[in-house]
Amino acid sequence: GIQVEQSPPDLILQEGANSTLRCNFSDSVNNLQWFHQNPWGQLINLFYIPSGTKQNGRLSATTVATERYSLLYISSSQTTDSGVYFCAVDAGGTSYGKLTFGQGTILTVHP
Amino acid sequence: DVKVTQSSRYLVKRTGEKVFLECVQDMDHENMFWYRQDPGLGLRLIYFSYDVKMKEKGDIPEGYSVSREKKERFSLILESASTNQTSMYLCASRQGNKNIQYFGAGTRLSVL
């Protein structure tokens, strides 16, 4: 099956710093989502981005499908950005939208 | 907004008990999924359902079964709970022709 690798596994920032999270995947995909899991366990959709670039406030994401990677940018980080960030992909075909998740990046933002 | 509701946030069960985890979505989605999350392993797919009464195994189905009698409800069943099933369980749903999955808040299950 498709493999998804995220880096770095852990990231510690001071409030106001910028960061880049990376997601590499082993095969072509028709779906890529970035999620933020808050401290209470809720997974929040950040981006649906199988290709191209999207921005939402301080967050933006870029997926280069031909090179099989995606980047999530967080600018001017805040303590509320802390949590786990997951990249998840769906290889398509008859998978019915099954997502394969990376192991996540644990982000801690200190005041 | 899509709402996916899991019946319990926290559960504590004994080894050997039969455990039911319930998930309800309010958006008439065709596809529903059960994942478990363990530290360092991300989320792994247990079972999914692409329609009422239809189900398929995911990557780690052993020790679990599912039921989908109505479109809005997808149940995960641990026939005989074991300590290695202590985990966070997450339910998700997706409209058939759309790619975005929406998640419930999760159930933290402890099996003692």
Side-chain angles (χ1 to χ4, degrees), chain B residues 9 42 48 52 69 88 97 103 111:
Chain B
R9 290 303 307 274
F48 69 101
V52 177
E69 296 297 317
M88 172 74 142
N97 61 350
F103 281 80
V111 182

Side-chain angles (χ1 to χ4, degrees), chain B residues 39-56:
Chain B
L41 297 178
L43 278 73
R44 294 177 292 166
L45 182 65
I46 305 171
Y47 265 97
F48 69 101
S49 168
Y50 51 90
D51 206 344
V52 177
K53 297 189 186 293
M54 307 303 287
K55 60 187 179 184
E56 282 202 19

Side-chain angles (χ1 to χ4, degrees), chain B residues 53-66:
Chain B
K53 297 189 186 293
M54 307 303 287
K55 60 187 179 184
E56 282 202 19
K57 294 179 180 179
D59 300 318
I60 51 165
E62 296 78 18
Y64 303 94
S65 62
V66 290

Side-chain angles (χ1 to χ4, degrees), chain A residues 24 34 46 68:
Chain A
N24 292 332
W34 282 98
L46 295 177
R68 299 182 183 167

